[in-house]
Amino acid sequence: MSTLDIRGLHAEVAGKEILRGVDLTVSSGEVHAVMGPNGAGKSTLSAVIMGKPGYKVTAGSVTLDGRDVLALSTWERAVAGLHLVMQYPTEVPGVQVADVLSEALASRGRDTSDMGALIAREAARINFDEDLVRRAVNVDLSGGEKKRNETMQLAVLKPKIAILDELDSGLDIDALRDCARRVEDATTEDGLGALVITHYVRLLEELKPDHVHILAKGRIVKSGGPELADVLERDGYAAFAPVEA
Amino acid sequence: MTPTPVLPSAEEEIWRYSRIGELDLSSYAVGSLRTETIGVDALQGDDRSGLVMVDDADVFARLNRESTSTPVTIVIPRGQVVGDVVEIVHHVDQSGIVAYPRLVIDAGENSEVTVVEKFVSADGIASLVCPVVEVRAAQAARVTYVAINALGRDTWKIAHQQSLGMRDSTTRLFTIALGGDYARVQTTSTLAEQGANSQQVALYFADGSQMNDFRTTQVHAAPRTHSDLLFKGAVRDDARSVYTGLIHIKENAKGSEAFQTNRNLTLSEGAWAESVPNLNIETNDVKCSHASTVGPIDEDQRFYLESRGIQPSIAERLVVLGFFNEVIDRLPSAAGVSDLRDAVSRKLLGNGAK
């Protein structure tokens, strides 16, 4: 059982405060959706959890099973069990997916001898063309292939808690279903805890959340069960605008 | 004893950024290299120096021409395809010498050959090598030349490469430069008849106080000629690199295409790279492009790999190898080329200079 605990998190980008006190707890097997309009701080939240350069935490804490995540460098956070599926997966020219996974497994102290079979299995499960693992990471891939690639990596690396930043952006419906189901399967099979960041309800029809949180202007303004997404679909984000001080 | 020749200075445009000012030629005695060859004997011809370099390109080319060392002359008869890679390895065994090796490759009509010329010395060998290579590809001939600089950290290299491509020929000039102290290569491909093709490709990686200095020229002197240049390099520690490239399309070279790409990674704060592309186009109806970049490793690429749980030093190695992959993919399979990825890896890890 693992728990990612975010407490009173404040963060700024280029001197501008984006997160203004976020509280959120994600445990193994749970799916939490964080929804919010553009500019609410959704991507900042995922970037800060993973330690992306350019983001400055000014207050609050992030812990994984009690361990201070903010004190770790990015790669240590990943090895500790956090995984970020990026909204716009970065292209890394000349670097094969297989080499990335090999190094990533090695740094976790995991055996890489059966990696080929593992990759083949996971690629097949989400209809990702296995030959693409011998190609450069995300280079010349379609939006759907990129997200399948990201999801395949998640399945191979088996993190404790995954942050999925707008998994649904740039994705056709088939790829969306394949990726969402694979993440959902991981929550039941491996006890993955998922923090699903999204703008649209569409994703949540495939990846059923246990909890829905609405992020607006850098704060969670409302939390509830899956029904909250339906309210949002009906009323839009305006109903959840935070009260200005 | 001949008088010491007058050397150029960095005031001259062609030597701008160079370390020519540090060179004292009088402190070197003309010496010879220990040269091993594979596959040369069967192809060795009479001296054809000047086949391509009609006029001395500079004082070092002149000294090379005037030197008494015997050039290696490879002559490929018309129609012959040389299946095995021809290898020439020059060892600089002592300090205090300047050596002037010359290689001439004269490829007959519709012939094919790949020649690898490697320069080797140990660290601590403070000498200077000034090689000249001339490549002539007759009609439809295909010549690949690979220069490998595996010199030690105290050896200088000032080199000239010149190719001349006749009708429908293909000339490829590759340079792999991981070694040496100051390493300058001036490479010129001239496309003399229609349909001629050339490629100039380099991979360079300097660390410590090394410096790479490249001057490239793509001369289109006939219609429908095609040239492609890809130079990719990295600098680390206090190392430096400079790339200056010219595409020259002459008036009669209509329908030609010329591409020039130079990309540089600066891996340390103290490292410095400069890229200066130039175009001189005397006609219309041509397709030309040039691109040059100098900068550190892309932050997003680094973050992506680190977010997979890869520690920074390994992430950097992957990104740099990935950066060079585009060049390595173009190289012919030959000795000294196949283990290039490992050589770059070793250098990134800081053990093994070349």
Coordinates of all heavy atoms in Angstrom, one line a residue, chain A residues 80-168:
Chain A
A80 N 11.6 5.9 -6.9 CA 10.8 5.8 -5.6 C 9.4 5.3 -5.9 O 8.7 4.8 -5.0 CB 10.8 7.1 -4.8
G81 N 9.0 5.4 -7.2 CA 7.7 4.9 -7.5 C 6.7 5.9 -8.2 O 5.5 5.5 -8.3
L82 N 7.2 7.1 -8.5 CA 6.3 8.0 -9.2 C 6.5 8.0 -10.7 O 7.6 7.7 -11.1 CB 6.5 9.5 -8.7 CG 6.2 9.7 -7.2 CD1 6.6 11.2 -6.9 CD2 4.7 9.5 -6.9
H83 N 5.5 8.2 -11.4 CA 5.6 8.2 -12.9 C 4.7 9.2 -13.5 O 3.5 9.4 -13.1 CB 5.2 6.8 -13.5 CG 5.5 6.7 -14.9 ND1 6.7 6.2 -15.4 CD2 4.7 6.9 -16.0 CE1 6.7 6.2 -16.7 NE2 5.5 6.6 -17.1
L84 N 5.3 10.0 -14.4 CA 4.5 11.0 -15.1 C 4.3 10.6 -16.6 O 5.2 10.4 -17.3 CB 5.3 12.3 -15.0 CG 4.7 13.5 -15.9 CD1 3.3 13.9 -15.4 CD2 5.6 14.7 -15.8
V85 N 3.0 10.6 -17.0 CA 2.7 10.5 -18.4 C 2.4 11.9 -18.9 O 1.5 12.5 -18.4 CB 1.5 9.6 -18.6 CG1 1.0 9.6 -20.0 CG2 1.8 8.1 -18.2
M86 N 3.3 12.3 -19.8 CA 3.3 13.7 -20.2 C 2.1 14.0 -21.2 O 1.8 13.2 -22.0 CB 4.6 14.1 -20.8 CG 5.7 14.0 -19.8 SD 7.3 14.6 -20.5 CE 8.4 14.1 -19.2
Q87 N 1.7 15.3 -21.0 CA 0.6 15.7 -22.0 C 1.2 15.7 -23.4 O 0.5 15.2 -24.3 CB 0.2 17.1 -21.6 CG -0.9 17.7 -22.5 CD -1.4 19.0 -22.1 OE1 -0.9 19.6 -21.2 NE2 -2.4 19.5 -22.8
Y88 N 2.4 16.3 -23.5 CA 3.0 16.3 -24.9 C 4.3 15.5 -24.7 O 5.3 16.1 -24.4 CB 3.3 17.7 -25.3 CG 2.0 18.6 -25.4 CD1 1.8 19.6 -24.4 CD2 1.0 18.3 -26.3 CE1 0.6 20.4 -24.5 CE2 -0.2 19.1 -26.3 CZ -0.3 20.1 -25.4 OH -1.5 20.8 -25.4
P89 N 4.3 14.2 -25.0 CA 5.5 13.5 -24.7 C 6.7 14.0 -25.6 O 6.5 14.2 -26.8 CB 5.1 12.0 -25.2 CG 3.6 12.0 -25.0 CD 3.2 13.4 -25.4
T90 N 7.8 14.2 -24.9 CA 9.0 14.8 -25.6 C 9.6 13.8 -26.6 O 9.7 12.6 -26.4 CB 10.0 15.1 -24.5 OG1 9.4 15.8 -23.4 CG2 11.2 15.9 -25.0
E91 N 10.0 14.4 -27.7 CA 10.7 13.6 -28.7 C 12.2 13.6 -28.3 O 12.8 14.7 -28.0 CB 10.6 14.2 -30.1 CG 9.1 14.2 -30.6 CD 8.9 14.7 -32.0 OE1 10.0 15.1 -32.6 OE2 7.8 14.8 -32.4
V92 N 12.8 12.5 -28.3 CA 14.3 12.4 -28.0 C 15.0 11.8 -29.2 O 15.1 10.5 -29.3 CB 14.5 11.6 -26.7 CG1 16.0 11.8 -26.3 CG2 13.6 11.9 -25.6
P93 N 15.5 12.6 -30.1 CA 16.0 12.0 -31.4 C 17.2 11.1 -31.1 O 18.1 11.3 -30.3 CB 16.6 13.3 -32.1 CG 15.8 14.4 -31.5 CD 15.5 14.0 -30.1
G94 N 17.2 10.0 -31.8 CA 18.3 9.1 -31.8 C 18.4 8.1 -30.6 O 19.2 7.3 -30.5
V95 N 17.4 8.3 -29.7 CA 17.4 7.4 -28.5 C 16.2 6.5 -28.5 O 15.1 6.9 -28.6 CB 17.3 8.3 -27.2 CG1 17.3 7.4 -25.9 CG2 18.5 9.3 -27.1
Q96 N 16.5 5.2 -28.6 CA 15.5 4.2 -28.7 C 14.7 4.0 -27.4 O 15.3 4.0 -26.3 CB 16.1 2.8 -29.1 CG 16.7 2.8 -30.5 CD 17.3 1.4 -30.8 OE1 17.1 0.4 -30.0 NE2 18.0 1.3 -31.9
V97 N 13.4 3.7 -27.5 CA 12.6 3.5 -26.4 C 13.1 2.3 -25.6 O 13.2 2.3 -24.4 CB 11.1 3.1 -26.9 CG1 10.2 2.8 -25.7 CG2 10.5 4.2 -27.7
A98 N 13.6 1.3 -26.3 CA 14.2 0.1 -25.6 C 15.4 0.5 -24.7 O 15.5 -0.1 -23.6 CB 14.6 -1.0 -26.7
D99 N 16.2 1.4 -25.2 CA 17.4 1.8 -24.4 C 16.9 2.6 -23.2 O 17.5 2.4 -22.1 CB 18.3 2.7 -25.3 CG 19.0 1.8 -26.3 OD1 19.1 0.6 -26.1 OD2 19.5 2.4 -27.3
V100 N 15.9 3.4 -23.3 CA 15.3 4.1 -22.2 C 14.8 3.2 -21.1 O 15.1 3.3 -20.0 CB 14.2 5.1 -22.7 CG1 13.5 5.7 -21.5 CG2 14.8 6.2 -23.6
L101 N 14.0 2.2 -21.6 CA 13.5 1.2 -20.6 C 14.5 0.4 -20.0 O 14.5 0.1 -18.8 CB 12.4 0.4 -21.3 CG 11.1 1.1 -21.7 CD1 10.2 0.2 -22.5 CD2 10.4 1.5 -20.4
S102 N 15.5 0.0 -20.8 CA 16.6 -0.8 -20.2 C 17.4 0.0 -19.1 O 17.6 -0.6 -18.0 CB 17.6 -1.1 -21.3 OG 18.7 -1.7 -20.8
E103 N 17.7 1.3 -19.3 CA 18.3 2.1 -18.3 C 17.4 2.3 -17.1 O 17.8 2.3 -16.0 CB 18.8 3.4 -18.9 CG 19.9 3.3 -19.9 CD 21.2 2.9 -19.4 OE1 21.4 2.7 -18.1 OE2 22.2 2.7 -20.2
A104 N 16.1 2.5 -17.4 CA 15.1 2.8 -16.4 C 14.9 1.6 -15.5 O 14.9 1.7 -14.2 CB 13.8 3.2 -17.0
L105 N 14.9 0.4 -16.0 CA 14.8 -0.8 -15.2 C 16.1 -1.0 -14.4 O 16.0 -1.4 -13.2 CB 14.5 -2.0 -16.1 CG 13.1 -2.1 -16.7 CD1 13.0 -3.2 -17.8 CD2 12.0 -2.3 -15.7
A106 N 17.2 -0.8 -15.1 CA 18.5 -1.0 -14.4 C 18.6 -0.1 -13.2 O 19.1 -0.5 -12.1 CB 19.6 -0.8 -15.4
S107 N 18.2 1.1 -13.3 CA 18.3 2.0 -12.1 C 17.4 1.7 -11.0 O 17.6 2.1 -9.9 CB 18.1 3.5 -12.6 OG 16.8 3.7 -13.0
R108 N 16.3 0.9 -11.3 CA 15.5 0.4 -10.3 C 16.0 -1.0 -9.7 O 15.3 -1.6 -8.9 CB 14.0 0.2 -10.8 CG 13.3 1.5 -11.1 CD 12.1 1.3 -12.0 NE 11.3 2.5 -12.2 CZ 11.6 3.5 -12.9 NH1 12.7 3.5 -13.7 NH2 10.8 4.5 -13.0
G109 N 17.1 -1.4 -10.2 CA 17.7 -2.7 -9.8 C 16.9 -3.9 -10.3 O 17.0 -5.0 -9.7
R110 N 16.2 -3.7 -11.4 CA 15.4 -4.8 -11.9 C 16.1 -5.5 -13.0 O 16.9 -4.9 -13.8 CB 14.0 -4.3 -12.4 CG 13.0 -4.1 -11.2 CD 11.8 -3.3 -11.6 NE 11.0 -4.0 -12.7 CZ 10.0 -3.5 -13.3 NH1 9.5 -2.3 -12.9 NH2 9.3 -4.1 -14.2
D111 N 15.8 -6.8 -13.1 CA 16.4 -7.6 -14.1 C 15.9 -7.2 -15.5 O 14.7 -7.0 -15.7 CB 15.9 -9.1 -13.8 CG 16.6 -10.0 -14.8 OD1 17.6 -9.7 -15.4 OD2 16.0 -11.1 -14.9
T112 N 16.9 -7.1 -16.4 CA 16.5 -6.6 -17.8 C 16.6 -7.8 -18.8 O 16.4 -7.6 -20.0 CB 17.4 -5.5 -18.3 OG1 18.8 -5.9 -18.2 CG2 17.2 -4.2 -17.5
S113 N 16.9 -9.0 -18.3 CA 17.1 -10.1 -19.2 C 15.8 -10.5 -20.0 O 15.9 -10.9 -21.1 CB 17.7 -11.3 -18.4 OG 16.8 -11.7 -17.4
D114 N 14.7 -10.3 -19.3 CA 13.4 -10.7 -20.0 C 12.7 -9.5 -20.5 O 11.5 -9.5 -20.8 CB 12.5 -11.5 -19.1 CG 12.1 -10.7 -17.9 OD1 12.7 -9.7 -17.6 OD2 11.1 -11.1 -17.3
M115 N 13.4 -8.4 -20.6 CA 12.8 -7.1 -21.0 C 12.1 -7.2 -22.4 O 11.0 -6.6 -22.5 CB 13.9 -6.0 -21.0 CG 13.3 -4.6 -21.1 SD 14.5 -3.3 -21.3 CE 14.9 -3.5 -23.0
G116 N 12.8 -7.8 -23.3 CA 12.2 -7.9 -24.7 C 10.8 -8.5 -24.6 O 9.8 -8.0 -25.2
A117 N 10.7 -9.6 -23.9 CA 9.4 -10.3 -23.8 C 8.3 -9.4 -23.1 O 7.2 -9.3 -23.5 CB 9.5 -11.6 -23.1
L118 N 8.8 -8.7 -22.0 CA 7.9 -7.9 -21.3 C 7.4 -6.7 -22.1 O 6.2 -6.4 -22.1 CB 8.7 -7.3 -20.1 CG 8.0 -6.3 -19.2 CD1 6.8 -6.9 -18.5 CD2 8.9 -5.8 -18.1
I119 N 8.3 -6.1 -22.9 CA 7.9 -5.0 -23.8 C 6.9 -5.6 -24.8 O 5.9 -4.9 -25.1 CB 9.1 -4.4 -24.5 CG1 9.9 -3.6 -23.4 CG2 8.7 -3.5 -25.6 CD1 11.2 -3.0 -24.0
A120 N 7.2 -6.7 -25.4 CA 6.4 -7.3 -26.4 C 4.9 -7.5 -25.9 O 3.9 -7.2 -26.5 CB 6.9 -8.6 -26.9
R121 N 4.9 -8.0 -24.7 CA 3.6 -8.3 -24.1 C 2.8 -7.0 -23.8 O 1.7 -6.9 -24.2 CB 3.9 -9.0 -22.7 CG 2.7 -9.9 -22.2 CD 3.2 -10.9 -21.2 NE 3.9 -10.4 -20.0 CZ 5.1 -10.7 -19.6 NH1 5.8 -11.5 -20.4 NH2 5.6 -10.1 -18.6
E122 N 3.5 -6.1 -23.2 CA 2.8 -4.8 -22.9 C 2.5 -4.0 -24.2 O 1.4 -3.4 -24.2 CB 3.7 -4.0 -22.0 CG 3.8 -4.5 -20.6 CD 2.4 -4.6 -19.9 OE1 1.4 -4.0 -20.4 OE2 2.3 -5.3 -18.9
A123 N 3.3 -4.1 -25.2 CA 3.0 -3.4 -26.4 C 1.7 -4.0 -27.1 O 0.8 -3.3 -27.5 CB 4.2 -3.4 -27.4
A124 N 1.7 -5.3 -27.1 CA 0.5 -6.0 -27.7 C -0.8 -5.7 -26.9 O -1.8 -5.5 -27.5 CB 0.8 -7.5 -27.6
R125 N -0.6 -5.5 -25.6 CA -1.8 -5.3 -24.8 C -2.5 -3.9 -25.1 O -3.7 -3.8 -24.9 CB -1.4 -5.3 -23.3 CG -2.2 -6.3 -22.5 CD -1.7 -6.3 -21.1 NE -2.8 -6.0 -20.2 CZ -2.8 -6.2 -18.9 NH1 -1.7 -6.5 -18.3 NH2 -3.8 -5.9 -18.2
I126 N -1.7 -3.0 -25.6 CA -2.3 -1.7 -25.9 C -2.2 -1.4 -27.4 O -2.3 -0.2 -27.8 CB -1.7 -0.5 -25.1 CG1 -0.2 -0.5 -25.2 CG2 -2.1 -0.6 -23.6 CD1 0.3 0.9 -24.9
N127 N -2.0 -2.4 -28.2 CA -1.9 -2.2 -29.6 C -0.9 -1.2 -30.1 O -1.1 -0.4 -31.0 CB -3.3 -1.8 -30.2 CG -4.4 -2.8 -29.9 OD1 -4.1 -4.0 -30.2 ND2 -5.5 -2.5 -29.3
F128 N 0.3 -1.2 -29.4 CA 1.4 -0.4 -29.8 C 2.3 -1.3 -30.6 O 2.7 -2.4 -30.2 CB 2.1 0.1 -28.5 CG 3.3 1.0 -28.8 CD1 3.1 2.3 -29.4 CD2 4.6 0.6 -28.5 CE1 4.2 3.1 -29.6 CE2 5.7 1.4 -28.7 CZ 5.5 2.7 -29.3
D129 N 2.7 -0.7 -31.8 CA 3.5 -1.5 -32.7 C 4.9 -1.7 -32.0 O 5.6 -0.8 -31.8 CB 3.7 -0.7 -34.0 CG 4.5 -1.4 -35.0 OD1 5.1 -2.4 -34.7 OD2 4.6 -0.8 -36.1
E130 N 5.2 -3.0 -31.8 CA 6.4 -3.3 -31.0 C 7.7 -2.8 -31.7 O 8.7 -2.5 -31.1 CB 6.5 -4.8 -30.8 CG 7.5 -5.2 -29.8 CD 7.9 -6.7 -29.9 OE1 7.0 -7.5 -30.4 OE2 9.0 -7.0 -29.5
D131 N 7.6 -2.7 -33.1 CA 8.8 -2.3 -33.8 C 9.2 -0.9 -33.4 O 10.4 -0.5 -33.6 CB 8.6 -2.3 -35.3 CG 8.4 -3.8 -35.8 OD1 8.9 -4.7 -35.1 OD2 7.9 -4.0 -36.9
L132 N 8.2 -0.1 -32.9 CA 8.5 1.3 -32.6 C 9.4 1.4 -31.4 O 10.0 2.5 -31.2 CB 7.2 2.1 -32.4 CG 6.2 2.1 -33.6 CD1 5.0 2.9 -33.2 CD2 6.9 2.8 -34.8
V133 N 9.6 0.4 -30.6 CA 10.5 0.5 -29.5 C 12.0 0.5 -29.9 O 12.9 0.9 -29.2 CB 10.3 -0.6 -28.4 CG1 8.9 -0.7 -27.9 CG2 10.8 -2.0 -28.9
R134 N 12.2 0.2 -31.2 CA 13.6 0.3 -31.8 C 13.7 1.6 -32.5 O 14.7 1.8 -33.1 CB 13.8 -0.9 -32.7 CG 13.9 -2.2 -32.0 CD 15.3 -2.4 -31.4 NE 15.2 -3.4 -30.3 CZ 16.0 -3.5 -29.3 NH1 17.0 -2.6 -29.1 NH2 15.9 -4.5 -28.4
R135 N 12.7 2.4 -32.4 CA 12.8 3.7 -33.0 C 13.1 4.8 -32.0 O 12.9 4.5 -30.8 CB 11.5 4.1 -33.8 CG 11.3 3.2 -35.0 CD 11.3 4.0 -36.3 NE 10.3 5.0 -36.2 CZ 9.1 4.9 -36.8 NH1 8.7 3.9 -37.4 NH2 8.2 6.0 -36.7
A136 N 13.4 6.0 -32.4 CA 13.7 7.0 -31.5 C 12.4 7.4 -30.7 O 11.3 7.4 -31.3 CB 14.3 8.3 -32.2
V137 N 12.6 7.8 -29.4 CA 11.5 8.0 -28.5 C 10.6 9.1 -29.1 O 11.0 10.3 -29.3 CB 12.0 8.5 -27.2 CG1 10.8 8.8 -26.2 CG2 12.9 7.4 -26.6
N138 N 9.4 8.8 -29.4 CA 8.3 9.7 -29.8 C 8.6 10.5 -31.1 O 7.7 11.3 -31.5 CB 8.0 10.7 -28.7 CG 7.4 10.1 -27.5 OD1 6.5 9.2 -27.7 ND2 7.8 10.4 -26.3
V139 N 9.7 10.2 -31.8 CA 10.0 10.9 -33.0 C 9.1 10.4 -34.2 O 9.1 9.1 -34.3 CB 11.5 10.8 -33.4 CG1 11.8 11.5 -34.7 CG2 12.3 11.5 -32.3
D140 N 8.5 11.2 -34.9 CA 7.6 10.8 -36.0 C 6.5 9.9 -35.6 O 6.0 9.1 -36.4 CB 8.5 10.2 -37.1 CG 9.5 11.1 -37.7 OD1 9.2 12.3 -37.7 OD2 10.6 10.6 -38.1
L141 N 6.1 10.0 -34.4 CA 4.9 9.2 -33.9 C 3.7 10.1 -34.0 O 3.7 11.3 -33.7 CB 5.1 8.6 -32.5 CG 6.2 7.6 -32.3 CD1 6.0 7.0 -30.9 CD2 6.3 6.5 -33.3
S142 N 2.5 9.4 -34.3 CA 1.3 10.2 -34.2 C 0.9 10.4 -32.7 O 1.5 9.8 -31.8 CB 0.2 9.4 -34.9 OG -0.2 8.3 -34.1
G143 N -0.1 11.3 -32.5 CA -0.5 11.6 -31.1 C -0.9 10.3 -30.4 O -0.5 10.1 -29.3
G144 N -1.6 9.4 -31.1 CA -2.1 8.2 -30.5 C -0.9 7.2 -30.2 O -0.9 6.6 -29.1
E145 N 0.0 7.2 -31.1 CA 1.2 6.3 -30.9 C 2.0 6.8 -29.7 O 2.5 6.0 -28.9 CB 2.0 6.2 -32.1 CG 1.5 5.4 -33.2 CD 2.2 5.5 -34.6 OE1 2.8 6.6 -34.8 OE2 2.3 4.5 -35.3
K146 N 2.1 8.1 -29.6 CA 2.9 8.7 -28.5 C 2.3 8.3 -27.1 O 3.0 7.9 -26.2 CB 2.9 10.2 -28.6 CG 3.9 10.7 -29.6 CD 4.0 12.2 -29.6 CE 4.9 12.7 -30.7 NZ 4.9 14.2 -30.9
K147 N 1.0 8.4 -27.0 CA 0.3 8.1 -25.8 C 0.3 6.6 -25.5 O 0.4 6.1 -24.4 CB -1.1 8.6 -25.7 CG -1.2 10.2 -25.7 CD -0.5 10.8 -24.5 CE -0.4 12.3 -24.5 NZ -1.6 13.0 -24.2
R148 N 0.3 5.8 -26.6 CA 0.4 4.3 -26.4 C 1.8 4.0 -25.9 O 2.0 3.2 -25.0 CB 0.1 3.6 -27.7 CG -1.3 3.5 -28.0 CD -1.5 2.5 -29.2 NE -2.9 2.0 -29.3 CZ -3.8 2.5 -30.2 NH1 -3.3 3.4 -31.1 NH2 -5.0 2.1 -30.3
N149 N 2.8 4.7 -26.5 CA 4.2 4.5 -26.0 C 4.3 4.8 -24.6 O 4.9 4.1 -23.8 CB 5.1 5.4 -26.9 CG 6.5 5.3 -26.5 OD1 7.0 4.4 -25.9 ND2 7.3 6.3 -27.0
E150 N 3.8 6.0 -24.2 CA 3.8 6.4 -22.8 C 3.2 5.4 -21.8 O 3.7 5.1 -20.8 CB 3.2 7.8 -22.6 CG 3.9 8.9 -23.3 CD 5.2 9.3 -22.6 OE1 5.1 9.8 -21.5 OE2 6.3 9.0 -23.1
T151 N 2.0 4.9 -22.3 CA 1.3 4.0 -21.4 C 2.0 2.6 -21.3 O 2.1 2.0 -20.3 CB -0.1 3.8 -22.0 OG1 -0.7 5.1 -22.1 CG2 -1.0 2.9 -21.1
M152 N 2.6 2.2 -22.5 CA 3.4 1.0 -22.5 C 4.6 1.1 -21.5 O 4.8 0.2 -20.7 CB 3.9 0.8 -23.9 CG 4.6 -0.6 -24.1 SD 6.3 -0.6 -23.9 CE 6.8 0.5 -25.2
Q153 N 5.2 2.2 -21.5 CA 6.3 2.5 -20.6 C 5.9 2.4 -19.1 O 6.5 1.8 -18.3 CB 7.0 3.8 -20.8 CG 7.8 3.9 -22.1 CD 8.5 5.2 -22.2 OE1 9.0 5.7 -21.3 NE2 8.5 5.8 -23.4
L154 N 4.7 3.0 -18.8 CA 4.1 2.9 -17.5 C 3.9 1.5 -17.1 O 4.3 1.0 -16.0 CB 2.8 3.7 -17.5 CG 2.0 3.8 -16.2 CD1 1.3 5.1 -16.1 CD2 1.0 2.6 -16.0
A155 N 3.4 0.7 -18.0 CA 3.1 -0.7 -17.7 C 4.3 -1.5 -17.4 O 4.4 -2.4 -16.6 CB 2.3 -1.3 -18.8
V156 N 5.4 -1.2 -18.2 CA 6.7 -1.9 -18.0 C 7.3 -1.5 -16.7 O 7.9 -2.4 -16.0 CB 7.6 -1.7 -19.2 CG1 9.0 -2.2 -18.9 CG2 7.1 -2.3 -20.5
L157 N 7.3 -0.2 -16.4 CA 8.0 0.3 -15.2 C 7.3 0.0 -13.9 O 7.9 0.1 -12.8 CB 8.3 1.8 -15.4 CG 9.3 2.0 -16.6 CD1 9.5 3.6 -16.7 CD2 10.6 1.4 -16.4
K158 N 6.0 -0.2 -14.0 CA 5.1 -0.5 -12.8 C 5.4 0.5 -11.6 O 5.9 0.0 -10.5 CB 5.4 -1.9 -12.3 CG 4.9 -3.0 -13.3 CD 4.8 -4.3 -12.5 CE 4.6 -5.5 -13.5 NZ 3.6 -5.3 -14.5
P159 N 5.0 1.7 -11.8 CA 5.2 2.7 -10.7 C 4.1 2.4 -9.6 O 3.2 1.7 -9.8 CB 4.9 4.0 -11.3 CG 4.0 3.7 -12.5 CD 4.5 2.4 -13.0
K160 N 4.3 3.0 -8.4 CA 3.3 2.9 -7.4 C 2.2 3.9 -7.6 O 1.0 3.6 -7.5 CB 4.0 3.3 -6.0 CG 5.0 2.2 -5.6 CD 5.7 2.7 -4.3 CE 6.7 1.6 -3.9 NZ 7.8 2.1 -3.1
I161 N 2.6 5.1 -8.0 CA 1.6 6.2 -8.3 C 1.9 6.8 -9.6 O 3.1 7.2 -9.9 CB 1.7 7.3 -7.2 CG1 1.5 6.7 -5.8 CG2 0.6 8.4 -7.5 CD1 0.1 6.3 -5.4
A162 N 0.9 6.9 -10.5 CA 1.2 7.6 -11.8 C 0.4 8.9 -11.9 O -0.8 9.0 -11.4 CB 0.7 6.6 -12.9
I163 N 1.0 9.9 -12.5 CA 0.3 11.1 -12.7 C 0.1 11.2 -14.2 O 1.1 11.1 -15.0 CB 1.2 12.3 -12.3 CG1 1.5 12.2 -10.8 CG2 0.4 13.6 -12.6 CD1 2.9 12.0 -10.5
L164 N -1.1 11.2 -14.7 CA -1.4 11.2 -16.1 C -1.9 12.6 -16.5 O -3.0 13.0 -16.1 CB -2.5 10.2 -16.4 CG -2.0 8.7 -16.1 CD1 -2.9 8.2 -14.9 CD2 -2.1 7.8 -17.2
D165 N -1.0 13.3 -17.2 CA -1.3 14.7 -17.5 C -2.0 14.8 -18.9 O -1.4 14.6 -19.9 CB 0.0 15.6 -17.5 CG -0.3 17.0 -17.6 OD1 -1.5 17.4 -17.6 OD2 0.6 17.8 -17.8
E166 N -3.3 15.0 -18.8 CA -4.1 15.1 -20.1 C -3.8 14.0 -21.0 O -3.4 14.2 -22.2 CB -3.8 16.5 -20.8 CG -3.8 17.7 -19.9 CD -5.2 18.4 -19.9 OE1 -6.1 17.9 -20.6 OE2 -5.3 19.4 -19.2
L167 N -4.0 12.8 -20.5 CA -3.8 11.6 -21.3 C -4.6 11.6 -22.6 O -4.2 11.1 -23.6 CB -4.1 10.3 -20.5 CG -4.0 9.0 -21.2 CD1 -2.5 8.7 -21.5 CD2 -4.6 7.9 -20.3
D168 N -5.7 12.3 -22.5 CA -6.6 12.3 -23.6 C -6.3 13.3 -24.7 O -6.9 13.3 -25.8 CB -8.1 12.5 -23.2 CG -8.2 13.7 -22.2 OD1 -7.2 14.1 -21.6 OD2 -9.3 14.2 -22.1

